[in-house]
Amino acid sequence: GGEGSGGYGQVLMSQAFGDEVVVDDDDDKKDEFGPSDEEGLEQDSHEGSPGVFAGHAFLVTGVEVEEKKKLKMEIEAQGGEIVDCHSLVAGKEPSKLLLLTAAPCRTSNFLCGLAVGVCVVSTQWVADCLSSKQLCPFDSYRLDASFDTHTRQRTKVPKHFGRTPMQMQDRVLGGKRIGIIGNRPFHQDHIRMVRFAGGQVVDVTGDSLDYIICEASTKFRPSSSQISGARARKIAIVNSDWLCACVMQQTLVGTEAFRVALVGNGARIRLFCLAPLAAPQIGGVGAVVQDARYLVLTATKTGVQALPVQEDALQGTSDGGSGHTGTCQPQENTVWVLEQSGADQQRSTRRFALRSCLNSHYLSTFEKGGALSYDDEAAFCEHVTMHELPDILPASSRRKIKIETCHKNWIGAYADGGVRDTCLVTHATQPAVQHIFEMDILGFQD
């Protein structure tokens, strides 16, 4: 299928970075990788010439449907070929390949062209070649890899990118061993892009790994044993944006801003909630959010409480699971460590014991329907199950969850500071607002 039919281009979102055509700053320099005027004239001067674009293949992206049809007709009429990233095989790309686009974008075809190391050329080049009946030099048609309309910053395509795809070992991921964790479509799409970039896809449980690319969608639940194994071997687990950044910048970018902080054994978390000031309600979340207090689950000397959030606590939050945190360190009494048995890790459950970083005691729901307390050991009543929710509250980068106790009730937080094992319709389609927590993943316990 084409790039618009799903897959990597759809995952990364097909969006232009700017409407303007960016011309290379060095227009007066000869492009040693582009065809010279003499080459073009010589090609056109022979009778029975196969066409201006003979022997060339083109990745076309970032243009309207009708424009793409027109380009296809014009290129094929002159001996060229339109290809798609899904039809190419890494390392066996056409010997002469160009990336045609109206402006920098993030489609699968665009990233494929950058990954294999070919020139990004404006679609105007095709029109001018047809008009002059020869292959025009690329110099004044080259485009950037990206253009940020807000910061006005550009990412240049390396000058040595020409018509010939680079050798596999010279590409941005050349020689790197990459593991991929995700559902089947994610896995297939990222295998393709990693290979185009020169990387080798290997099993995530293997002994030799450089990076792991993991699906960060809330709809995907990675294996706890895979995550624990990667952490034990100190392998960076990154999201798909890291791969995109490497390809677009043509360098191995740092992983810190792209880390995927996954829910698993050893995760350090905080739990925020909106506690209604009015009487508890079931459903109608939007109606009570306006009259609620923002709280954080806190370990105190007398027990577990939901206390008002301090400004420094918000400033120290993570950026939505990437592992990149703010400058302020969260207060120790608001941080909990998730602990999971080996059996639960193997089964990839979401059943955990929550240990306080303040006193090393475990959150306990010993009293059914009562207030939460502490226990020195993690037994049956100290384990809870986390259920992820869709984004039904105002926008937030944190994951929204409900916490189910061993009594099959939800944990609820209230404006008076109480945190209780409540019996309010455990399996309601629309949960009460006091049962919804936002989980901030800070990292993992050393």
Side-chain angles (χ1 to χ4, degrees), residues 350-394:
R350 288 294 179 266
R351 184 172 178 266
F352 301 95
L354 276 66
R355 177 170 57 82
S356 168
C357 284
L358 176 69
N359 52 26
S360 295
H361 291 167
Y362 294 92
L363 179 149
S364 177
T365 58
F366 180 77
E367 183 181 351
K368 182 176 182 180
L372 271 61
S373 57
Y374 295 128
D375 203 302
D376 293 336
E377 297 181 356
F380 179 72
C381 291
E382 287 67 54
H383 281 80
V384 297
T385 302
M386 296 182 174
H387 301 264
E388 293 206 36
L389 298 171
D391 293 335
I392 57 176
L393 288 179

Side-chain angles (χ1 to χ4, degrees), residues 273-295:
C273 54
L274 275 172
L277 298 177
Q281 299 179 28
I282 297 295
V285 172
V288 299
V289 168
Q290 298 299 326
D291 192 22
R293 179 176 295 171
Y294 206 45
L295 308 173

